[in-house]
Amino acid sequence: MMIDLYPAGSRPSRKAPPQWFTGDVWLDPIIDAPAPARVSALRVSFAPSARTAWHSHPLGQTLQVISGLGLIALRDEAPRQMRPGDTIWIPPGVEHWHGAAPDTAMVHLAIQEGLDGSAAEWLEHVSDTDYLRPTKSD
């Protein structure tokens, strides 16, 4: 049995695809496990105001905030703030978006599993109206 060790800096950062993100977002791979495993994980760095498009995950998603101040929202709900150390679980099939606050960058780990070769269903971009809604208090 052999393990894979990826030395730091051996896999380049890549710019997030503009069809799925608004603003400057960088993706750093952590793992895209081979079958029969199906977990994938990324370190995602959002510039201020950058965010994902609306999307859902067939088997859910976990976010772990590393730094900065972020926002997350479900369809038809006000955004909630995410802070370093926060862990967020988004259940399967739930439409949501996440990203940085308007004036603060944010970095999180995104962990999800694929089903039938897909880990996300991407939808339309988040409007400025939805993004700038006042945040919901916890």
Side-chain angles (χ1 to χ4, degrees):
M1 176 90 8
M2 190 170 169
I3 65 167
D4 292 328
L5 188 149
Y6 302 98
S10 68
R11 297 180 293 170
S13 299
R14 68 183 195 276
K15 184 90 167 160
Q19 69 267 31
W20 299 337
F21 294 86
T22 298
D24 289 329
V25 180
W26 289 91
L27 306 174
D28 290 288
I30 295 174
I31 189 67
D32 193 6
R38 54 187 179 189
V39 68
S40 65
L42 295 163
R43 181 179 184 267
V44 188
S45 302
F46 296 85
S49 294
R51 56 198 180 262
T52 68
W54 287 102
H55 63 287
S56 64
H57 301 276
L59 297 174
Q61 182 181 48
T62 299
L63 303 176
Q64 172 73 41
V65 181
I66 298 171
S67 65
L69 179 63
L71 298 171
I72 184 168
L74 305 182
R75 188 71 79 171
D76 299 321
E77 291 189 11
R80 295 172 65 181
Q81 289 188 342
M82 303 185 298
R83 298 182 180 280
D86 287 353
T87 300
I88 300 93
W89 164 247
I90 302 108
V94 173
E95 292 182 8
H96 66 286
W97 64 264
H98 38 95
D103 299 316
T104 307
M106 187 269 297
V107 177
H108 69 46
L109 299 180
I111 306 160
Q112 53 277 319
E113 291 182 286
L115 182 64
D116 299 325
S118 177
E121 179 184 350
W122 291 98
L123 306 165
E124 77 276 12
H125 281 268
V126 175
S127 69
D128 288 343
T129 301
D130 282 342
Y131 176 73
L132 295 171
R133 283 176 72 173
T135 57
K136 179 166 99 174
S137 299
D138 289 327

